[in-house]
Amino acid sequence: MERGLPHGEGFLLCLLLHLLLQGRGNTFAINCSGFEQRGVDPAAFQAVFDRKAFLPVTNYSNPVRVNISFTLSAILEVNVQLQVMTSFLWLTMRWYNQFIRWNPEECGGIMKLSIATENLWLPDIFIKELITVDQAPTGLMAYVSSEGSVQYNKPMKVVSICSLDIFYFPFDEQNCTFTFNSFIYTVENMVLGMQMKVQDISNISRTLIQSKGQWLLLGIYQSTKKTIVGTNQYDQLVFHVAVRRRPKLYIINLLVPSSFLVAIDALSFYLPAESGIRAPFKMTLLLGYNVFLLMMNDLLPDTGTPLINVYFTICLSLMVLSLLETIFITYMLNLATTKPPPIPPWLHSLLLHCTSPMKCCPTAPQKGNKDLGLTPAHLPGLKEPVEFVQKVPGPQEGTIGCPVSARICPEDVAQKQHFVSLWIQFSRMMDTLLFRLYLLFMATSIITVIVLWNT
Ligand SMILES: *[C@@H]1O[C@H](CO)[C@@H](O)[C@H](O)[C@H]1NC(C)=O
Ligand SMILES: *[C@@H]1O[C@H](CO)[C@@H](O)[C@H](O)[C@H]1NC(C)=O
Ligand SMILES: *[C@@H]1O[C@H](CO)[C@@H](O)[C@H](O)[C@H]1NC(C)=O
Ligand SMILES: *[C@@H]1O[C@H](CO)[C@@H](O)[C@H](O)[C@H]1NC(C)=O
Ligand SMILES: *[C@@H]1O[C@H](CO)[C@@H](O)[C@H](O)[C@H]1NC(C)=O
């Protein structure tokens, strides 16, 4: 008696619990007796399959909560012209189907079953930014647990519209948005939740994207907001996918060669202007640069005006400007040596002022010679400044000519040589000045571009 009462109480409790459990899941409990011997009986699930057209809830006041997570496994393409990002992701959805419930103990311990998704109600989750229809493979399966939770994974190739800004190309970062949303269910029927934390999604995606492609995943961030369309409120999950371009290809193929060509262009100012090889050299460089731009055009974005185009334009204008400068200096030198016009007084005083540390004008070419490193080829007698000063009065050195009168010739020749030397000095000064201006312009523009790239 003493031992029987507790036993009876336990039995009663067990019965009560059983009845309660039965009562809770009674209507939709799946009779799975015999599953372990004869396999799953389709008839047992027929009631569930028949209801697949309807929300899997028993009380329509409670919405279905669909938990979402995804892993981004590849960034296939970012198309600037179409403003489209193509990526590949695995979408995982999890929700409770209240019509599915069984007792694993009666079913030989079966905790979960895989069921073809065409027999089940599926949430109509889509990504708002999609611009192609979802091409998920058909015939996918979903895992259903004895509690009624359904897990459904599907691969998605996401071609999504994304506002791309290529101003900072090739150092650009893009920020594309994925908005997960239901087609028709309002918040009264469906709410969306997170299956895992967004940091985990970001971490897993980062480790999953092993490809050394052009784009580096910086991270995935979330911002939640509900949308209201008309009088209906829809739940949605908003993710921002931040990616950065790997710029190495563009640095090696575009920026470095371009900088080399501009550097050579700047260095070519040290070629003597008098020798006449500077202009052809610069011309060749300019041609080479144009060919380079034509060849590398495919690497540049098709639309928009990225900063790199400005950079190329600056490089090209620098080359054109330096060519123009060379033409100008060559013209001046030519003018000076063939028929030097009289020096205007202001220019004379300017030249004197500029060369004031040196006492007299003819020594000025020394500075020029030192600067340019080479002697003018077509100016006999200008090999050495001292030599020049000494040799000027020599009648045999007046090769520029004094055909008519030998008597007035020496003064004439001296006068002319003086003009020539002053003009040459002036040309060299102009050359040096313009070269410095060129360097200044080059430095400021390139520093500006680099500063803009770094912001
Ligand atoms: C389950 O089905 C079997 C036959 O397949 C039947 O004998 C049993 O009574 C059913 N159990 C319940 C609780 O309906
Ligand atoms: C349905 O759910 C609502 C809200 O949770 C609750 O107030 C209501 O009593 C439920 N109806 C039934 C029949 O359980
Ligand atoms: C969805 O997420 C919520 C909160 O994280 C959790 O309580 C619920 O059980 C989840 N639902 C499913 C089906 O996993
Ligand atoms: C991406 O853009 C959205 C707005 O369009 C902004 O709220 C979010 O902070 C941006 N994320 C990053 C990482 O720049
Ligand atoms: C993500 O990964 C970083 C290192 O890669 C780690 O420091 C961080 O804790 C991780 N975050 C989460 C939420 O796991």
Side-chain angles (χ1 to χ4, degrees):
M1 238 354 226
E2 257 99 357
R3 291 175 64 214
L5 192 65
H7 182 76
E9 268 180 0
F11 175 74
L12 271 176
L13 203 70
C14 261
L15 193 71
L16 200 69
L17 217 65
H18 192 74
L19 278 174
L20 269 176
L21 279 175
Q22 285 280 92
R24 202 188 68 175
N26 214 2
T27 19
F28 303 109
I30 288 161
N31 179 357
C32 60
S33 66
F35 277 19
E36 67 272 31
Q37 288 107 32
R38 284 169 274 118
V40 175
D41 180 12
F45 277 96
Q46 201 53 53
V48 176
F49 296 165
D50 288 346
R51 288 169 180 268
K52 72 173 179 185
F54 305 99
L55 263 192
V57 289
T58 46
N59 180 348
Y60 260 69
S61 307
N62 301 330
V64 179
R65 184 190 165 98
V66 180
N67 289 353
I68 288 177
S69 84
F70 67 94
T71 50
L72 195 68
S73 59
I75 297 162
L76 301 174
E77 197 194 350
V78 176
N79 190 328
V80 174
Q81 198 174 14
L82 301 177
Q83 297 276 300
V84 153
M85 180 171 93
T86 310
S87 52
F88 194 82
L89 55 86
W90 285 90
L91 179 62
T92 302
M93 289 177 273
R94 204 185 249 267
W95 67 96
Y96 279 109
N97 187 327
Q98 294 181 357
F99 305 135
I100 304 177
R101 177 158 288 125
W102 70 83
N103 187 353
E105 287 156 29
E106 291 173 11
C107 310
I110 297 173
M111 299 294 292
K112 57 180 186 179
L113 284 170
S114 62
I115 297 180
T117 50
E118 64 237 36
N119 295 314
L120 292 172
W121 176 87
L122 297 175
D124 56 349
I125 304 294
F126 72 109
I127 295 177
K128 251 189 187 171
E129 285 78 17
L130 277 188
I131 54 162
T132 56
V133 283
D134 187 8
Q135 293 163 334
T138 51
L140 291 174
M141 308 294 279
Y143 258 125
V144 181
S145 80
S146 59
E147 296 290 304
S149 87
V150 185
Q151 179 173 337
Y152 173 42
N153 295 1
K154 74 169 179 180
M156 286 177 87
K157 183 180 173 185
V158 181
V159 182
S160 62
I161 199 99
C162 176
S163 168
L164 300 168
D165 180 12
I166 43 115
F167 182 68
Y168 292 109
F169 174 89
F171 303 102
D172 51 339
E173 287 180 17
Q174 307 295 348
N175 178 358
C176 291
T177 308
F178 289 163
T179 307
F180 290 89
N181 203 343
S182 168
F183 264 121
I184 62 148
Y185 291 113
T186 56
V187 281
E188 291 89 44
N189 291 130
M190 188 193 284
V191 292
L192 301 179
M194 293 290 290
Q195 177 72 26
M196 54 165 118
K197 284 203 295 258
V198 70
Q199 289 95 338
D200 293 332
I201 293 180
S202 184
N203 266 12
I204 292 171
S205 299
R206 249 196 311 243
T207 49
L208 210 68
I209 298 184
Q210 295 292 353
S211 62
K212 292 267 177 288
Q214 208 189 353
W215 293 91
L216 179 76
L217 179 68
L218 293 178
I220 298 172
Y221 309 94
Q222 190 188 8
S223 66
T224 323
K225 56 176 189 282
K226 297 204 180 350
T227 47
I228 296 170
V229 180
T231 53
N232 297 322
Q233 203 180 25
Y234 295 88
D235 205 5
Q236 65 181 18
L237 291 177
V238 183
F239 297 94
H240 301 292
V241 178
V243 293
R244 180 195 289 151
R245 196 190 294 270
R246 287 195 173 99
K248 210 196 286 173
L249 171 80
Y250 301 97
I251 291 176
I252 291 174
N253 284 324
L254 295 177
L255 297 184
V256 170
S258 182
S259 316
F260 279 164
L261 286 175
V262 172
I264 292 174
D265 188 51
L267 284 177
S268 68
F269 274 98
Y270 287 98
L271 292 175
E274 296 93 328
S275 68
I277 57 166
R278 201 203 271 182
F281 185 81
K282 282 185 189 289
M283 196 65 224
T284 317
L285 266 186
L286 194 61
L287 263 178
Y289 195 68
N290 276 316
V291 172
F292 162 77
L293 283 186
L294 271 180
M295 275 168 57
M296 292 303 163
N297 203 23
D298 290 347
L299 283 179
L300 292 173
D302 305 337
T303 47
T305 311
L307 205 52
I308 196 166
N309 283 4
V310 178
Y311 171 79
F312 285 149
T313 311
I314 287 174
C315 290
L316 199 66
S317 357
L318 280 172
M319 288 185 168
V320 170
L321 282 181
S322 80
L323 187 62
L324 284 179
E325 192 264 5
T326 306
I327 290 171
F328 174 63
I329 296 297
T330 313
Y331 168 74
M332 291 255 302
L333 283 171
N334 194 42
L335 199 69
T337 48
T338 50
K339 40 176 183 161
I343 304 272
W346 61 268
L347 185 58
H348 199 263
S349 55
L350 181 77
L351 283 173
L352 277 179
H353 176 73
C354 292
T355 55
S356 54
M358 306 171 184
K359 278 294 166 279
C360 55
C361 283
T363 49
Q366 198 171 25
K367 174 178 166 278
N369 273 352
K370 209 168 66 185
D371 268 0
L372 300 167
L374 284 167
T375 52
H378 58 282
L379 284 176
L382 281 184
K383 280 202 168 111
E384 288 294 328
V386 187
E387 208 181 345
F388 168 62
V389 174
Q390 283 166 350
K391 282 183 181 177
V392 161
Q396 73 269 39
E397 287 302 314
T399 44
I400 309 163
C402 51
V404 189
S405 168
R407 225 169 285 168
I408 50 164
C409 198
E411 294 91 45
D412 213 13
V413 166
Q415 179 76 5
K416 203 167 183 182
Q417 286 287 27
H418 184 61
F419 279 163
V420 168
S421 72
L422 279 179
W423 275 113
I424 289 175
Q425 190 190 356
F426 176 65
S427 308
R428 284 175 177 164
M429 271 175 52
M430 286 300 287
D431 193 26
T432 315
L433 181 74
L434 289 174
F435 176 48
R436 290 194 181 143
L437 279 179
Y438 170 90
L439 282 186
L440 190 73
F441 178 63
M442 180 163 91
T444 43
S445 47
I446 287 177
I447 285 172
T448 312
V449 167
I450 287 174
V451 164
L452 276 177
W453 257 326
N454 278 332
T455 49

